[in-house]
Amino acid sequence: MASKEEILSKLRQNVRSEKFAMPDLSNVRGIHFADKTAAFIKMSEAQGAKVEILPPDGHVDDIIRRTFPDAKSIVSNLSGITSATKNQDDTKSVYTLEDTDVTVCEGVLGVCENACVWVPQRTRQRAAYFICENLVILLDRACLVDNMHEAYRRLETENIDWGCFISGPSKTADIEQALVLGAQSARSVLVILI
Amino acid sequence: MSAHAKKAVEFQRNAADAEGHDRAVYAVRAKRDAAARAIADDWENLRTLASDIKRHTITHLDVYAEKFAANAEKNGIHTHWARDAADFNAIVLEILRRHAVRKLVKSKSMLTEECGMNTFLAENGIEVVETDLGERIIQLMGLAPSHIVMPAIHIKRERVGRLFEEKLGSEKGNHDPTYLTRQARIHLRHAFLEADAGLTGANFAVADHGGVVVCTNEGNADMSASCPKLHIACVGLEKIVPDLASLGVFTRLLARSGTGQPTTVYTSHFFHPRPDGELHIVIVDNGRSEILANRTHWETLKCLRCGACMNTCPVYRRSGGYSYSGTIPGPIGINLGMLRDPHANAGNVSACTLCASCDNVCPAKVDLSTQIYRWRQDLATLGVADPMKRLMSSGMHFLFTHPALYVAAQRLSPLLNALPRPLVYNRLNAWGRGHELPRFPKKSFARLLNEGIV
């Protein structure tokens, strides 16, 4: 740890005597939407994701079976997902998740300004969220916020070990700026608003 | 002619490719404008906040760096400190060796480019696979990235098609971007599953939480950090931000500025090691603590590495990333290059028209063009000024401080219009290379004024 002390003492020595104050971020308001659900759906679709609203008497499994009729491997560790063929927490090796058609997971927060959904770890194998062909995220409609300032304010109270804002399918424009959905991670994302 | 100008001539030799590059990069700038306009009421306030947060963090970097590392350790993350590139490479190799790693998947990191890590690891028997599509294309071609966010922006689809035919066994003559992306997906899937470790950079390091945030569109950083059990994240000291509220500001600016998206697809927060996994964070100085002490240029440390300054730069767009020396091209690269090694990188400082467009798009309000201007003032002191330009400057100084001579020269100037081209544009007139003289009017403005005409 010699270099730690060396670097820190160099920082202490070189840091400017002129100090700048931290701006107050507690009241940054940011963009707001009159109809949060409509705004979230519109933005998600612009990002290439799909959104379905669960009808009052509907069931998530019905939507999953209807949307992915050919899916052989459906992975989830959520209770009550009867369509699931595998629980990722039962496996020690990511190899067994290689051919996952659909992963079903839970989001805890949706952001209207950019379609981000906060997906916390809540699993031993978070690879399940990325290695799948299609990702389904369940999200409570009451958990939509307007913008990232509000989102991070909510996250202050969460115990974050790992978490990811996911806003749609994996994409790239690395070949001549041509947009292609489905780069290294999920090729489609379906958010089911509950 | 500066080193940059010479290479720019090379780049311009293929006019169609050069024009394509200009158009592709400017399209990203236009997308950035639309994204900023979509939240126009917030935009300038966000830029001011971003600049203020960075100024605060940088002027308290000793405190925040220590806090970040202490919190990371508390979370069960192994932290390492690297003074320079050699230190950094050695630390990473040591971690890899301890875990008997043979194959490493890697998501894009300009810090590892800066430190020449891939070459070093390869020399030490580690197979390194870049997993960002653009970065993988560049790696398979044996090239360096020409842009910090779009590393293969200068490469045509046909070349990628031929490359994949040869290296990945894809169909002959198929250069459809969707097909090629699919081929890369299959190829990289194997790499993620076979690799013994994943290495990522970091966009932000959150002091309050002792963890890092990584933003990608492809999901390759998450695959790299979720498939193998060992994850190494590398973070330059300037990436440290105080808290989650700061991320609220930066995540709103980063993708909008860089690619014109409202957000990157994935914004991943690594605050603890994953179950059954190990997380190492290497905190790298490599000259950053020196920049801190630089009275004129310390605000370069505010940079978020979004790439907006290169997308808007008229010189970058028309000369391409390879015309610049050093790791990073464009306006920010000119400045970082001079801070790293002014003698090696002085050839870049003329690659600026001082139009200040970069200053206006920078999400952290780095005064890029002013800083480039200041570097130019220092060239003579640094002993790297172009002797021809110095000669021309002292000539101009003499002319402009001798009014009688100036007036006489002005009266004679229309004669230049009539001279045959070779007499005006020749080896003696270095300025005339790449510049066209205006037509000199018969009467100067001063004369028109004196004669009561204007």
Side-chain angles (χ1 to χ4, degrees), chain A residues 16 18 20, chain B residues 51-52 54-55 58 291-292 294-303 332 339 362 364-368 371:
Chain A
R16 300 178 61 71
E18 180 194 11
F20 288 82
Chain B
S51 174
D52 289 350
K54 284 284 184 181
R55 277 179 167 168
I58 295 163
I291 302 178
L292 205 60
N294 189 314
R295 291 167 60 99
T296 318
H297 297 285
W298 68 276
E299 291 203 41
T300 310
L301 290 170
K302 295 195 296 188
C303 171
I332 187 64
L339 284 162
C362 177
K365 290 194 173 180
V366 178
D367 54 343
L368 295 150
Q371 293 198 26

Side-chain angles (χ1 to χ4, degrees), chain B residues 416-440:
Chain B
L416 276 176
N417 294 338
L419 284 181
R421 217 180 146 78
L423 275 183
V424 184
Y425 296 94
N426 54 39
R427 281 186 50 231
L428 290 173
N429 178 9
W431 185 89
R433 242 179 280 155
H435 293 95
E436 270 306 297
L437 280 172
R439 280 192 72 77
F440 290 97

Side-chain angles (χ1 to χ4, degrees), chain A residues 130-131 184-185, chain B residues 185-193 223:
Chain A
F130 304 101
I131 205 167
Q184 290 12 305
S185 192
Chain B
R185 178 183 170 92
I186 296 163
H187 158 70
L188 290 170
R189 277 290 152 127
H190 295 302
F192 288 124
L193 291 168
M223 287 292 282

